[in-house]
Amino acid sequence: MVIFKKPTSNGCYSNREKPEPPLCDADDDPNAAWNITLRACMHRLPTNKSVRGARWPELWPERMSAAPYWLSHSQVGVYGKPAPDDFAADEEHWNHVVNSSYLAGVGIDWSNVRNVMDMRAVYGGFAAALKDMNVWVMNVVPVDSADTLPIIYERGLFGMYHDWCESFSTYPRSYDLLHADHLFSKLKKRCKLLPVMVEVDRILRPEGKLIVRDGRDTAAEVESILRSLHWEVRMTVSKQGEVMLCAEKTMWRPKEVEKAATTAS
């Protein structure tokens, strides 16, 4: 067995007898990760200690709540504040929402929840707020959103990019709970909601839950589609133009198909 260790400086690369594989061009973005053609080259290690990847993050579990060291106040966060303040406000927001509402106020039996997906994760604040629960959270960063996946990874969380106008690569009935915070209103500018909701129905197990937070018109459209799929809408709460909707996928099956199958057999 051989264990290889990644070097901590570029000196090792410069001292090779043969530059194979070569180092990437200086203008090649090492952070590009979506629909990028693979290249047989290595990126240089960062020499600026304030750059992401230049040093280790905080230890667990402190890294879950600590803003990454490479976020600076000169950067603007997703919600318009300086990046570290944006991160802190997001964490505070989701801690409040989860503890004051989701854990007791929406009728979810968390003992039956294991696989969770945040369909628009931003900084991963929703997943971080569930850190003391016996759940596993997949954080999805939509491809048309700000690239916050490095922050999610820095917190020690799972995550991936995805285009919700396309199908999600997973087995049917893989998840117990899906969470969509202001996803669908942004998504319907690019594609229709019906196929997206059918995909939601596919990847959620029967009796699984969907929590939607969105504008009133979008929430009404989502509710209409869910009812057409024979879901049970458990709760709708409206406040200042925003609606929170909690729905449950039922065990419904089309009787006509069942009857036809019985007759055929």
Side-chain angles (χ1 to χ4, degrees), residues 230 252-264:
H230 296 266
W252 177 84
R253 292 292 184 274
K255 296 181 180 179
E256 291 77 7
V257 174
E258 292 176 356
K259 183 177 180 180
T262 302
T263 303

Side-chain angles (χ1 to χ4, degrees), residues 137-154:
V137 183
M138 171 59 75
N139 294 280
V140 179
V141 175
V143 295
D144 58 339
S145 300
D147 184 9
T148 53
L149 190 58
I151 298 175
I152 289 170
Y153 285 157
E154 193 82 359

Side-chain angles (χ1 to χ4, degrees), residues 7 11 23 50 97 119 125 127 143 146 158 163 166 176 206 208-209 212 222:
L23 293 175
S50 65
V97 169
M119 299 175 70
V143 295
F158 296 101
D163 184 349
E166 301 178 4
D176 307 316
K209 305 296 192 299
V212 176
V222 168

Side-chain angles (χ1 to χ4, degrees), residues 126-137:
F126 170 63
L130 296 175
K131 63 182 180 297
D132 295 326
M133 306 288 291
N134 292 322
V135 298
W136 174 88
V137 183

Side-chain angles (χ1 to χ4, degrees), residues 241-256:
E242 179 182 280
V243 174
M244 185 186 75
L245 179 152
C246 183
E248 178 181 308
K249 179 179 175 180
T250 67
M251 299 291 291
W252 177 84
R253 292 292 184 274
K255 296 181 180 179
E256 291 77 7

